[in-house]
Each structure stands twice: as C-alpha cells, then as structure tokens.
Amino acid sequence: MSMIFFASVVRVRDGLPLSASTDFYHTQDFLECRRCLKTLALRLAQYPGRGSAESCDFCIHFSSSGDVACMAICSRQYPAAMAFCFLETLWWEFTASYDTTCIGLASRPYAFLEFDSVIQKMKWHFNYVSSSQIKSSLEKIQEELEFQPPVVLTLEDTDVANGMMNGHIPMHLEPAPNFRMEPVTALGILSLVLNIMCAALNLIRGVHLAEHSLQVAREEIGNILAFLIPFVACIFQCYLYLFYSPARTMKVVLMLLFICLGNVYLHGLRNLWQILFHIGVAFLSSYQILTRQLQEKQSDCGV
C-alpha cells in the first residue's frame, strides 16, 4: 500500500514536536520507525534541508527550512517527489499559521495541537489525490531534487537500537557531503587575527565617533555606519572561514563589498595606507574562505 502513514512538524534546533497527525497504525515495524523519527528529529540541525531514511518497510522523509521541519513516514513505494511535495506544502501551511516568535517560545510538546487536523486533512489529500492534480508543484519538486538530491540515511535495525540507547542514530550519508571543513592553515589563522584586529579598530572608532556625534552633531551618522558595518562584516568573515554556510560565495562577496565601500566612504578619516590595509585584509580573508573546502568524512569513521 503506497501512502503517507504519519506526519509531524518539529522545531529544528531541539527536535521539539509541535504538531502531528493522528496515528492509527500500530505494527511493530511502524512503531520502531516512529522511534527512529523522534531520534532523527533531535539531529535535524546537522543535515541539509531535505533528506530520507529507509527503515524496514518504511521511509522517513524530512524537509526543513528556518526553525521548522516537517517529517513523514511513508511506505517504501510512495514516490519521494510526492512525499517532499507534501512536506513543502505542510511547511508553508504551518509557517503561514504561526509566526516565528510563537514557534520559538513553544516550551511543551505538541503546543500547536489545533494544527493536527490540518495535517490529517493534507495527509488524506496526498494519499488519495492523483499526481496530475498537483502536477505543477510536483514538477517543481522533481527539478529541485534532480538539481540537489536529498541526503540519504541508511538505518540498520541493530545500529538504530544501539544508537538510541546512546542518544543518537548512526547514519551513513550517501549523496550529500558531510559538513566538516578542511583543517585551518597558518595563513588562515593569520587572516583571522588580522580580521579580528580590523573589526576591533572599526568598533573602537565607530563607538568613539558615535559618542562624539551625539554630543556635537548628527551629520556624521554616515561615518558611524561606515565603521560599524565593516565591523559586522569582519566578524561575519571570521564565521564564514570557521564554519560551513550555504551560499558561501555570495555571502563572501557581499561582506567584501561592505568592507570596501565602508573604507572608501571613510576617505578623509583614514589615510590611503589604512584604507588599503583594511581592504587587503578583507581580500585575504575572502580568499581563505573560498579556498577552504568541505572535507569528506570517511565511511569507517566512528559514530
């Protein structure tokens, strides 16, 4: 039987279940899969936006964005594209119903119990609707899955039981990279030190100018921002070097642009050599960020 058996909405940062469909399926394999889903929910922050895990006769699919993730248990025969189409529709429905503040402040499981009926209706709709009725949405999901396949997790029964006793699930990631960066180099450490120094100089000058301007005039608000924005950009460059971030190239270019424009704007408050120093450090940091690649984790690594 090809269908969605169970669906839930969880908070990504801690795996707190926010809402779930009514569960009428009670076979031993399904209950084991439910336990796997709960454990996997605690680790969603470690994985990309979409993923699947196979367990016995079922598949666990998850789709996350921001602080909310939607998860579903489907039969192995249920098309993955349909499952992710269901999860994306469910995500949009939930985030349109509740704002991020309510989601962030939720402190108990199933705090949005009233949404359960929505999940149940949507689950029924996707179980019995023909794919032609959601053709446009399905085609969009299929294109996205071809461009960026979901991470695939293989859950072995004995490993799952063993992992749950230790508070985690050992997983084998197949198509998606493990988000571990290459070791930090000596030049990378130098770029971090120089970047922190530039950030400190920008912060000190910006705060000093702000104190002075509040007492004298407000015309220098542009200069204050020209110090403080590059300060934030320098700190963010340090973060981008140390940790993996999606759309890294775009963020690097944006931070570099902020630093360059800020320093050019400060011509007059800084001499040419000071400006060239700050811009040079920004270029060095950008180069180090872009050349530090992801490191594949070996398949025989420890759990």
Side-chain angles (χ1 to χ4, degrees), residues 15 53 70 91 98 111 126 164 189 194 253 258 270 275 293 295:
C70 295
W91 184 91
Y98 306 100
F126 272 82
M164 289 175 64
I189 294 173
L194 293 175
V253 172
F258 283 151
R270 279 179 172 157
I275 293 173
Q293 301 298 321
Q295 178 176 286

Side-chain angles (χ1 to χ4, degrees), residues 58-242:
F58 303 97
C59 280
I60 300 172
H61 300 286
F62 64 86
S63 179
S64 64
S65 181
D67 201 31
V68 175
C70 295
M71 308 182 74
I73 297 176
C74 309
S75 60
R76 291 176 71 111
Q77 295 77 27
Y78 195 79
M82 282 283 285
F84 285 113
C85 188
F86 163 74
L87 293 174
E88 182 170 290
T89 306
L90 185 61
W91 184 91
W92 280 108
E93 190 71 28
F94 186 84
T95 53
S97 302
Y98 306 100
D99 59 38
T100 54
T101 303
C102 292
I103 295 168
L105 292 176
S107 58
R108 58 182 176 84
Y110 306 106
F112 305 99
L113 193 64
E114 65 279 3
F115 192 76
D116 293 8
S117 60
V118 177
I119 300 177
Q120 200 70 14
K121 290 176 184 177
M122 199 174 297
K123 184 165 70 77
W124 184 92
H125 177 74
F126 272 82
N127 278 339
Y128 299 105
V129 73
S130 64
S131 58
S132 59
Q133 292 177 264
I134 53 171
K135 184 177 179 181
S136 59
S137 299
L138 192 58
E139 287 178 350
K140 174 178 172 289
I141 294 295
Q142 286 172 332
E143 289 177 4
E144 291 177 1
L145 294 180
E146 288 178 6
F147 178 73
Q148 188 174 8
V151 60
V152 176
L153 312 175
T154 302
L155 308 180
E156 298 298 335
D157 292 341
T158 54
D159 290 338
V160 168
N162 197 26
M164 289 175 64
M165 289 168 58
N166 290 285
H168 62 273
I169 301 181
M171 301 176 182
H172 174 63
L173 282 71
E174 292 177 1
N178 191 291
F179 292 81
R180 175 178 293 182
M181 305 295 288
E182 291 178 347
V184 175
T185 63
L187 190 58
I189 294 173
L190 176 63
S191 72
L192 283 174
V193 172
L194 293 175
N195 220 343
I196 292 171
M197 184 173 72
C198 289
L201 290 172
N202 285 323
L203 180 62
I204 292 170
R205 290 291 303 276
V207 171
H208 176 74
L209 189 60
E211 292 175 347
H212 176 73
S213 299
L214 289 174
Q215 297 174 7
V216 180
R218 295 184 179 180
E219 297 86 37
E220 298 191 22
I221 187 68
N223 291 333
I224 296 172
L225 291 176
F227 279 118
L228 296 183
I229 292 175
F231 158 71
V232 175
C234 288
I235 296 300
F236 195 58
Q237 276 193 327
C238 294
Y239 172 83
L240 290 174
Y241 180 71
L242 293 172

Side-chain angles (χ1 to χ4, degrees), residues 3-45:
M3 63 186 299
I4 301 168
F5 292 102
F6 175 79
S8 66
V9 181
V10 302
R11 191 164 60 192
V12 172
R13 73 168 187 262
D14 55 6
L16 180 74
L18 303 173
S19 185
S21 63
T22 307
D23 183 7
F24 296 109
Y25 205 69
H26 298 292
T27 67
Q28 186 59 40
D29 288 343
F30 176 78
L31 294 176
E32 181 68 26
C33 197
R34 277 286 307 274
R35 287 193 289 270
C36 293
L37 181 144
K38 290 179 180 179
T39 310
L40 177 59
L42 299 173
R43 301 167 63 82
L44 285 176

